[in-house]
Amino acid sequence: MKKRNLILTIISIIVLAIFIFYADSNFDAYQVRILNLCAIYTILGLSMNLINGFTGLFSLGHAGFMAVGAYTTALLTMSLAAKEQNFFMQPLVAPLNSIVWPFLPSLLAGGLMAAFVAYLIGAPALRLKGDYLAIATLGFGEIIRVIFTNTQNITNGALGLKGIPSSTNLWWSFGIAIVTIIVLLSLINSSYGRAFKAIREDEIAAESMGINLFKHKSISFMIGAFFAGVGGGLLGSLLGTIDPLMFRFLLTFNILLIIVLGGMSSVTGTIISAFVITIAQEVLRFLDEPMNFGFAVVQITGLRMVIFSALLMVVVLFYRNGLMGSREFSWDKLIKLFKRNPLVKGGTK
Amino acid sequence: MSLLKADQITMQFGGLTAVNNFNLELNKNEIVALIGPNGAGKTTAFNMITGVYNPTKGKIYFEGKDITGLRPDQITSLGIARTFQNIRLFKELSVLENVLIANHLNVKSNVFEAIFKLPRYMKEEKSMISKSIELLDKVGLGDLKYEKSSSLPYGKQRRLEIARALATNPKILLLDEPAAGMNPKETEDLTSFIKEIKEQFDLTIFMIEHHMQVVMGISNVIYVLDYGITIAQGSPYDIQNNQKVIEAYLGVSENDA
């Protein structure tokens, strides 16, 4: 059984690879970009779901971690010429102005940097609970952004960074998304993952079962921040330009939306919801354009967001726990669904 | 030497003294009960021993080592496990997972070994699972291991909570009103269950309980708290005949006062 599931998983990854290969050469730039965004939002959603959904820490500092990752990756990958062009107000500080790293190590460095920042923020913030933690992390996220606006000789301040080499392509984004899924699934189903869920279910009971709350919350927070940093790095490289305003708390809420709609403790739900929301936001774009009703041509700017919000409300009203709740996809369930066996009752399965 | 010793522990919440100069001595393999009217400070005394509260005054010694002010998880890993008055299971998780979580404190592998499924972690995980299944079989929850813990009937949930505490390999088990809300049949089952696990796991048990059948039936020593003050301690027989205890539970008649 286990072997069969592994084979099925490998086959589906190969199918995905073939699809990416096809998409890479046949889709137009716009479609490729949306697919990239889908994969990046999957990474971001999963990283936030680890913290908020699986460990039950209501953290809203995600945009801050993404900013750290995006800036670190950008500053490490940018060519020396681009750096010189960007930093005309004040020159870039010493080691950064002379190094250019390849993409993968830069992404990892971005993730590690974000995890380090999470460690620093976590030390005071993770002693708080519930809404207080949300407010504190929201504040820290904003502080990161404000610091980035004011450190002219490192981040180029409000001017942002332009000319980031666009290394992100479908292979990178989907590849890293798959790695994220595998790592997080493995973590969630391990003893540490069970400890995270115990903290979510009941902190007091978890603590008296010998789980060091602070240590485990920090681990979850840092791993979540690591993937947020990697996602931020991919996003920066995809867009080619970043500035501090991009990482306002609205970005955090976009990701929160994905995980709430997908189900707060479901990896499957987050993946589905990341794709659905990213694509829906593009598909609904026609609502902003002039529409011909026959008798009149109407253009309501912003209608897209109104409809989008209404759709969200419907989903939240009728699927209280998100699309998937805490359920997960498994091959066994899928096969059961297709194998209609009328002799189950009283017979052998 | 006593296994656990509380020396004059006091807990004050602002102006209210919930527990005043409480002394306790637990010897190995004893069953000790703590009784008293509602609000007497029994659970507070429990919370001080398990590290939920840091006593305002006094010291707690476990196997001669000062454990006052340690965190609950540190105290649990030393060998003091507890259950709660209102059941606190990990509701969304399965029965087996509940017990596995209690095994987590013995995991030596770090989080990276767990993520990448390195040999040391896989070995630990395997032994953890077989140990937990064995434990569940012992306490009679073996058939229910994949059920969601909140779907169990009340008596079984209590049993699972005790099993979960046992999974941390305790030397002392603290039970906070294990028979609360149970019918006579369940109470009887529980009493024999407590006796059973005491023998099987070589435990010392300290419990808070209101059901006098349970308390008088199995405890070696009883402590009585009233308004935070220890008004009596002794064998079940002594307690039953202690005037102060009777007064605390039933009140004083106006003629005597």
Side-chain angles (χ1 to χ4, degrees):
Chain A
M1 276 304 194
K2 255 191 168 166
K3 211 170 170 190
R4 182 202 68 194
N5 290 349
L6 187 69
I7 292 168
L8 283 171
T9 309
I10 291 169
I11 289 173
S12 50
I13 290 176
I14 293 170
V15 170
L16 181 68
I18 294 168
F19 169 73
I20 292 172
F21 185 74
Y22 174 78
D24 219 14
S25 44
N26 290 306
F27 284 15
D28 61 35
Y30 174 62
Q31 287 165 324
V32 168
R33 190 189 173 100
I34 292 171
L35 277 178
N36 270 317
L37 278 177
C38 287
I40 293 171
Y41 272 107
T42 303
I43 299 168
L44 295 170
L46 287 174
S47 66
M48 194 172 188
N49 210 343
L50 175 69
I51 302 173
N52 290 40
F54 287 99
T55 322
L57 304 168
F58 192 19
S59 155
L60 297 175
H62 231 60
F65 301 139
M66 287 172 62
V68 173
Y71 269 95
T72 311
T73 310
L75 285 169
L76 287 172
T77 49
M78 276 164 77
S79 67
L80 295 180
K83 279 178 185 170
E84 211 162 315
Q85 231 174 17
N86 269 296
F87 289 84
F88 57 85
M89 301 267 287
Q90 274 181 40
L92 186 60
V93 287
L96 285 173
N97 63 2
S98 56
I99 49 172
V100 179
W101 280 16
F103 191 47
L104 186 62
S106 309
L107 272 181
L108 291 176
L112 289 175
M113 201 63 191
F116 176 66
V117 170
Y119 173 73
L120 295 181
I121 292 174
L126 290 177
R127 291 171 201 282
L128 303 169
K129 281 175 195 161
D131 311 350
Y132 303 100
L133 175 68
I135 294 166
T137 47
L138 184 71
F140 276 118
E142 287 292 289
I143 288 171
I144 292 172
R145 191 174 64 77
V146 172
I147 290 175
F148 280 13
T149 315
N150 289 296
T151 46
Q152 194 72 42
N153 58 358
I154 303 173
T155 61
N156 206 21
L159 293 169
L161 297 172
K162 289 167 197 73
I164 304 166
S166 56
S167 317
T168 303
N169 55 27
L170 288 174
W171 294 107
W172 276 114
S173 56
F174 276 84
I176 292 177
I178 286 171
V179 170
T180 310
I181 294 168
I182 292 171
V183 166
L184 287 187
L185 278 178
S186 171
L187 173 65
I188 287 159
N189 294 322
S190 77
S191 186
Y192 281 87
R194 285 193 295 266
F196 294 164
K197 288 181 212 161
I199 293 172
R200 175 190 70 197
E201 295 291 315
D202 192 327
E203 264 189 32
I204 294 172
E207 198 176 22
S208 57
M209 287 303 114
I211 293 168
N212 183 339
L213 293 183
F214 183 68
K215 181 185 154 198
H216 286 86
K217 284 180 184 179
S218 294
I219 292 175
S220 160
F221 204 52
M222 283 166 69
I223 293 176
F226 174 83
F227 285 108
V230 172
L234 280 171
L235 189 64
S237 167
L238 177 72
L239 302 176
T241 162
I242 50 175
D243 65 81
L245 276 184
M246 238 178 85
F247 300 99
R248 273 176 297 191
F249 70 112
L250 202 65
L251 185 60
T252 307
F253 281 116
N254 273 334
I255 304 163
L256 187 65
L257 192 82
I258 288 175
I259 64 173
V260 169
L261 282 181
M264 279 294 264
S265 43
S266 167
V267 170
T268 319
T270 304
I271 300 167
I272 294 172
S273 146
F275 276 79
V276 168
I277 288 189
T278 314
I279 293 171
Q281 276 184 338
E282 295 302 323
V283 169
L284 294 176
R285 227 170 247 288
F286 73 90
L287 292 166
D288 274 355
E289 281 156 18
M291 278 177 288
N292 194 346
F293 287 106
F295 54 92
V297 177
V298 193
Q299 180 176 20
I300 312 166
T301 334
L303 184 64
R304 179 172 68 115
M305 285 324 279
V306 174
I307 301 282
F308 193 63
S309 311
L311 284 177
L312 290 183
M313 263 189 262
V314 170
V315 174
V316 172
L317 278 174
F318 292 102
Y319 297 91
R320 199 53 63 78
N321 295 320
L323 292 170
M324 295 293 284
S326 58
R327 281 165 299 168
E328 294 288 2
F329 165 83
S330 79
W331 290 113
D332 296 337
K333 273 188 226 161
L334 190 74
I335 288 165
K336 229 186 218 168
L337 200 71
F338 285 110
K339 238 198 221 162
R340 294 254 170 80
N341 192 344
L343 285 172
V344 166
K345 215 172 195 180
T348 47
K349 275 183 206 175
Chain B
M1 193 186 65
S2 54
L3 194 56
L4 183 85
K5 189 166 180 277
D7 185 21
Q8 305 272 330
I9 51 173
T10 299
M11 188 73 221
Q12 286 171 323
F13 298 107
L16 175 86
T17 306
V19 175
N20 198 4
N21 292 331
F22 180 63
N23 288 311
L24 172 77
E25 266 202 69
L26 289 183
N27 295 313
K28 202 162 164 24
N29 292 333
E30 269 183 346
I31 297 185
V32 177
L34 180 62
I35 62 170
N38 288 327
K42 303 181 296 290
T43 299
T44 308
F46 248 51
N47 283 341
M48 281 191 281
I49 295 170
T50 52
V52 177
Y53 297 146
N54 196 356
T56 322
K57 234 172 51 194
K59 294 271 175 213
I60 302 161
Y61 301 94
F62 176 62
E63 296 182 316
K65 190 178 166 256
D66 186 1
I67 58 163
T68 329
L70 291 184
R71 287 194 313 268
D73 59 283
Q74 291 171 317
I75 289 178
T76 306
S77 55
L78 286 174
I80 302 178
R82 73 171 293 180
T83 65
F84 295 89
Q85 192 173 345
N86 39 350
I87 301 178
R88 282 179 179 274
L89 289 173
F90 305 121
K91 293 196 189 74
E92 292 292 315
L93 307 180
S94 73
V95 170
L96 180 62
E97 279 176 308
N98 265 277
V99 176
L100 283 173
I101 285 162
N103 273 297
H104 182 66
L105 80 167
N106 295 321
V107 171
K108 301 226 163 41
S109 318
N110 61 36
V111 67
F112 298 106
E113 291 179 271
I115 291 174
F116 299 111
K117 298 198 161 86
L118 298 185
R120 180 161 79 144
Y121 171 75
M122 288 316 277
K123 220 171 112 193
E124 282 185 322
E125 172 90 8
K126 239 188 205 153
S127 82
M128 198 193 293
I129 290 173
S130 62
K131 248 170 56 189
S132 302
I133 291 176
E134 197 184 317
L135 176 70
L136 285 172
D137 284 336
K138 264 187 199 166
V139 300
L141 294 170
D143 324 332
L144 300 164
K145 52 182 174 285
Y146 299 117
E147 299 290 320
K148 201 164 137 180
S149 65
S150 56
S151 72
L152 298 187
Y154 186 78
K156 294 249 163 72
Q157 288 195 19
R158 279 277 173 210
R159 202 169 264 243
L160 173 59
E161 213 194 10
I162 295 174
R164 192 180 65 173
L166 288 175
T168 63
N169 290 326
K171 295 183 179 110
I172 301 179
L173 184 61
L174 276 71
L175 305 171
D176 196 345
E177 297 202 27
M182 285 190 172
N183 61 34
K185 173 76 176 65
E186 284 173 326
T187 310
E188 211 173 281
D189 288 350
L190 181 87
T191 314
S192 54
F193 179 60
I194 292 174
K195 274 192 207 156
E196 231 175 80
I197 56 168
K198 187 201 138 198
E199 296 307 323
Q200 256 186 17
F201 296 90
D202 190 27
L203 289 172
T204 306
I205 291 174
F206 181 44
M207 64 172 179
I208 295 175
E209 191 44 74
H210 281 299
H211 278 242
M212 285 307 148
Q213 290 152 285
V214 181
V215 173
M216 297 301 166
I218 57 174
S219 30
N220 305 103
V221 184
I222 298 174
Y223 286 75
V224 189
L225 271 185
D226 189 25
Y227 293 110
I229 296 162
T230 316
I231 56 171
Q233 70 181 79
S235 68
Y237 179 80
D238 296 340
I239 298 297
Q240 275 168 358
N241 299 302
N242 187 308
Q243 194 57 37
K244 270 191 179 164
V245 176
I246 295 166
E247 279 171 17
Y249 268 93
L250 303 176
V252 190
S253 94
E254 277 179 39
N255 303 334
D256 299 348

PDB file of all heavy atoms in Angstrom, chain A residues 184-200:
ATOM      1  N   LEU A 184       7.229  20.139   4.882  1.00  0.00           N
ATOM      2  CA  LEU A 184       6.226  20.461   5.895  1.00  0.00           C
ATOM      3  C   LEU A 184       5.383  19.246   6.256  1.00  0.00           C
ATOM      4  O   LEU A 184       5.062  19.036   7.422  1.00  0.00           O
ATOM      5  CB  LEU A 184       5.347  21.624   5.436  1.00  0.00           C
ATOM      6  CG  LEU A 184       6.040  22.985   5.470  1.00  0.00           C
ATOM      7  CD1 LEU A 184       5.080  24.104   5.164  1.00  0.00           C
ATOM      8  CD2 LEU A 184       6.689  23.240   6.828  1.00  0.00           C
ATOM      9  N   LEU A 185       5.022  18.428   5.247  1.00  0.00           N
ATOM     10  CA  LEU A 185       4.251  17.220   5.562  1.00  0.00           C
ATOM     11  C   LEU A 185       5.046  16.311   6.493  1.00  0.00           C
ATOM     12  O   LEU A 185       4.517  15.764   7.449  1.00  0.00           O
ATOM     13  CB  LEU A 185       3.886  16.467   4.282  1.00  0.00           C
ATOM     14  CG  LEU A 185       2.660  16.976   3.532  1.00  0.00           C
ATOM     15  CD1 LEU A 185       2.453  16.173   2.265  1.00  0.00           C
ATOM     16  CD2 LEU A 185       1.419  16.898   4.409  1.00  0.00           C
ATOM     17  N   SER A 186       6.336  16.189   6.188  1.00  0.00           N
ATOM     18  CA  SER A 186       7.180  15.340   7.013  1.00  0.00           C
ATOM     19  C   SER A 186       7.273  15.890   8.435  1.00  0.00           C
ATOM     20  O   SER A 186       7.213  15.141   9.414  1.00  0.00           O
ATOM     21  CB  SER A 186       8.559  15.242   6.371  1.00  0.00           C
ATOM     22  OG  SER A 186       9.443  14.611   7.232  1.00  0.00           O
ATOM     23  N   LEU A 187       7.389  17.210   8.539  1.00  0.00           N
ATOM     24  CA  LEU A 187       7.472  17.834   9.861  1.00  0.00           C
ATOM     25  C   LEU A 187       6.168  17.648  10.638  1.00  0.00           C
ATOM     26  O   LEU A 187       6.168  17.237  11.806  1.00  0.00           O
ATOM     27  CB  LEU A 187       7.771  19.329   9.710  1.00  0.00           C
ATOM     28  CG  LEU A 187       7.730  20.153  10.994  1.00  0.00           C
ATOM     29  CD1 LEU A 187       8.821  19.713  11.951  1.00  0.00           C
ATOM     30  CD2 LEU A 187       7.868  21.635  10.705  1.00  0.00           C
ATOM     31  N   ILE A 188       5.051  17.909   9.962  1.00  0.00           N
ATOM     32  CA  ILE A 188       3.752  17.868  10.640  1.00  0.00           C
ATOM     33  C   ILE A 188       3.442  16.468  11.150  1.00  0.00           C
ATOM     34  O   ILE A 188       2.843  16.297  12.209  1.00  0.00           O
ATOM     35  CB  ILE A 188       2.665  18.366   9.669  1.00  0.00           C
ATOM     36  CG1 ILE A 188       2.779  19.878   9.499  1.00  0.00           C
ATOM     37  CG2 ILE A 188       1.275  18.021  10.175  1.00  0.00           C
ATOM     38  CD1 ILE A 188       2.137  20.386   8.259  1.00  0.00           C
ATOM     39  N   ASN A 189       3.873  15.461  10.395  1.00  0.00           N
ATOM     40  CA  ASN A 189       3.571  14.095  10.819  1.00  0.00           C
ATOM     41  C   ASN A 189       4.633  13.506  11.743  1.00  0.00           C
ATOM     42  O   ASN A 189       4.546  12.349  12.121  1.00  0.00           O
ATOM     43  CB  ASN A 189       3.391  13.207   9.594  1.00  0.00           C
ATOM     44  CG  ASN A 189       2.161  13.619   8.809  1.00  0.00           C
ATOM     45  OD1 ASN A 189       1.150  13.973   9.397  1.00  0.00           O
ATOM     46  ND2 ASN A 189       2.265  13.621   7.497  1.00  0.00           N
ATOM     47  N   SER A 190       5.619  14.304  12.099  1.00  0.00           N
ATOM     48  CA  SER A 190       6.646  13.792  13.005  1.00  0.00           C
ATOM     49  C   SER A 190       6.245  14.069  14.446  1.00  0.00           C
ATOM     50  O   SER A 190       5.201  14.660  14.714  1.00  0.00           O
ATOM     51  CB  SER A 190       7.984  14.464  12.710  1.00  0.00           C
ATOM     52  OG  SER A 190       7.980  15.770  13.243  1.00  0.00           O
ATOM     53  N   SER A 191       7.092  13.645  15.353  1.00  0.00           N
ATOM     54  CA  SER A 191       6.821  13.866  16.767  1.00  0.00           C
ATOM     55  C   SER A 191       6.752  15.368  17.077  1.00  0.00           C
ATOM     56  O   SER A 191       5.948  15.801  17.901  1.00  0.00           O
ATOM     57  CB  SER A 191       7.921  13.201  17.582  1.00  0.00           C
ATOM     58  OG  SER A 191       7.615  13.269  18.935  1.00  0.00           O
ATOM     59  N   TYR A 192       7.589  16.128  16.381  1.00  0.00           N
ATOM     60  CA  TYR A 192       7.560  17.579  16.594  1.00  0.00           C
ATOM     61  C   TYR A 192       6.233  18.163  16.121  1.00  0.00           C
ATOM     62  O   TYR A 192       5.657  19.037  16.776  1.00  0.00           O
ATOM     63  CB  TYR A 192       8.737  18.245  15.881  1.00  0.00           C
ATOM     64  CG  TYR A 192      10.021  18.104  16.656  1.00  0.00           C
ATOM     65  CD1 TYR A 192      10.828  16.993  16.498  1.00  0.00           C
ATOM     66  CD2 TYR A 192      10.410  19.062  17.576  1.00  0.00           C
ATOM     67  CE1 TYR A 192      11.989  16.829  17.225  1.00  0.00           C
ATOM     68  CE2 TYR A 192      11.579  18.918  18.310  1.00  0.00           C
ATOM     69  CZ  TYR A 192      12.365  17.804  18.134  1.00  0.00           C
ATOM     70  OH  TYR A 192      13.505  17.653  18.865  1.00  0.00           O
ATOM     71  N   GLY A 193       5.762  17.656  14.972  1.00  0.00           N
ATOM     72  CA  GLY A 193       4.481  18.129  14.456  1.00  0.00           C
ATOM     73  C   GLY A 193       3.348  17.834  15.424  1.00  0.00           C
ATOM     74  O   GLY A 193       2.462  18.654  15.637  1.00  0.00           O
ATOM     75  N   ARG A 194       3.400  16.654  16.027  1.00  0.00           N
ATOM     76  CA  ARG A 194       2.363  16.314  17.009  1.00  0.00           C
ATOM     77  C   ARG A 194       2.444  17.254  18.208  1.00  0.00           C
ATOM     78  O   ARG A 194       1.419  17.663  18.755  1.00  0.00           O
ATOM     79  CB  ARG A 194       2.522  14.863  17.462  1.00  0.00           C
ATOM     80  CG  ARG A 194       2.050  13.855  16.435  1.00  0.00           C
ATOM     81  CD  ARG A 194       1.943  12.471  17.047  1.00  0.00           C
ATOM     82  NE  ARG A 194       3.228  11.952  17.467  1.00  0.00           N
ATOM     83  CZ  ARG A 194       3.995  11.166  16.717  1.00  0.00           C
ATOM     84  NH1 ARG A 194       3.596  10.798  15.523  1.00  0.00           N
ATOM     85  NH2 ARG A 194       5.153  10.741  17.160  1.00  0.00           N
ATOM     86  N   ALA A 195       3.663  17.602  18.589  1.00  0.00           N
ATOM     87  CA  ALA A 195       3.817  18.552  19.702  1.00  0.00           C
ATOM     88  C   ALA A 195       3.213  19.908  19.326  1.00  0.00           C
ATOM     89  O   ALA A 195       2.551  20.541  20.150  1.00  0.00           O
ATOM     90  CB  ALA A 195       5.284  18.706  20.073  1.00  0.00           C
ATOM     91  N   PHE A 196       3.418  20.333  18.059  1.00  0.00           N
ATOM     92  CA  PHE A 196       2.816  21.607  17.612  1.00  0.00           C
ATOM     93  C   PHE A 196       1.299  21.534  17.744  1.00  0.00           C
ATOM     94  O   PHE A 196       0.657  22.453  18.239  1.00  0.00           O
ATOM     95  CB  PHE A 196       3.159  21.898  16.147  1.00  0.00           C
ATOM     96  CG  PHE A 196       4.622  22.151  15.896  1.00  0.00           C
ATOM     97  CD1 PHE A 196       5.133  22.090  14.603  1.00  0.00           C
ATOM     98  CD2 PHE A 196       5.482  22.472  16.929  1.00  0.00           C
ATOM     99  CE1 PHE A 196       6.474  22.323  14.353  1.00  0.00           C
ATOM    100  CE2 PHE A 196       6.825  22.703  16.691  1.00  0.00           C
ATOM    101  CZ  PHE A 196       7.323  22.622  15.401  1.00  0.00           C
ATOM    102  N   LYS A 197       0.738  20.412  17.257  1.00  0.00           N
ATOM    103  CA  LYS A 197      -0.725  20.292  17.303  1.00  0.00           C
ATOM    104  C   LYS A 197      -1.208  20.262  18.746  1.00  0.00           C
ATOM    105  O   LYS A 197      -2.267  20.797  19.059  1.00  0.00           O
ATOM    106  CB  LYS A 197      -1.170  19.018  16.580  1.00  0.00           C
ATOM    107  CG  LYS A 197      -1.014  19.106  15.077  1.00  0.00           C
ATOM    108  CD  LYS A 197      -1.490  17.820  14.431  1.00  0.00           C
ATOM    109  CE  LYS A 197      -0.696  17.524  13.181  1.00  0.00           C
ATOM    110  NZ  LYS A 197      -0.808  16.116  12.782  1.00  0.00           N
ATOM    111  N   ALA A 198      -0.428  19.633  19.630  1.00  0.00           N
ATOM    112  CA  ALA A 198      -0.812  19.597  21.043  1.00  0.00           C
ATOM    113  C   ALA A 198      -0.875  21.014  21.595  1.00  0.00           C
ATOM    114  O   ALA A 198      -1.795  21.352  22.341  1.00  0.00           O
ATOM    115  CB  ALA A 198       0.177  18.763  21.838  1.00  0.00           C
ATOM    116  N   ILE A 199       0.100  21.840  21.206  1.00  0.00           N
ATOM    117  CA  ILE A 199       0.098  23.232  21.674  1.00  0.00           C
ATOM    118  C   ILE A 199      -1.145  23.949  21.157  1.00  0.00           C
ATOM    119  O   ILE A 199      -1.789  24.703  21.880  1.00  0.00           O
ATOM    120  CB  ILE A 199       1.379  23.959  21.223  1.00  0.00           C
ATOM    121  CG1 ILE A 199       2.581  23.366  21.943  1.00  0.00           C
ATOM    122  CG2 ILE A 199       1.278  25.451  21.496  1.00  0.00           C
ATOM    123  CD1 ILE A 199       3.910  23.871  21.452  1.00  0.00           C
ATOM    124  N   ARG A 200      -1.508  23.666  19.902  1.00  0.00           N
ATOM    125  CA  ARG A 200      -2.704  24.289  19.338  1.00  0.00           C
ATOM    126  C   ARG A 200      -3.948  23.854  20.113  1.00  0.00           C
ATOM    127  O   ARG A 200      -4.808  24.662  20.434  1.00  0.00           O
ATOM    128  CB  ARG A 200      -2.841  23.879  17.871  1.00  0.00           C
ATOM    129  CG  ARG A 200      -4.116  24.381  17.228  1.00  0.00           C
ATOM    130  CD  ARG A 200      -4.318  23.736  15.873  1.00  0.00           C
ATOM    131  NE  ARG A 200      -4.652  22.327  16.013  1.00  0.00           N
ATOM    132  CZ  ARG A 200      -4.568  21.451  15.022  1.00  0.00           C
ATOM    133  NH1 ARG A 200      -4.133  21.828  13.837  1.00  0.00           N
ATOM    134  NH2 ARG A 200      -4.897  20.197  15.211  1.00  0.00           N
TER     135      ARG A 200
END
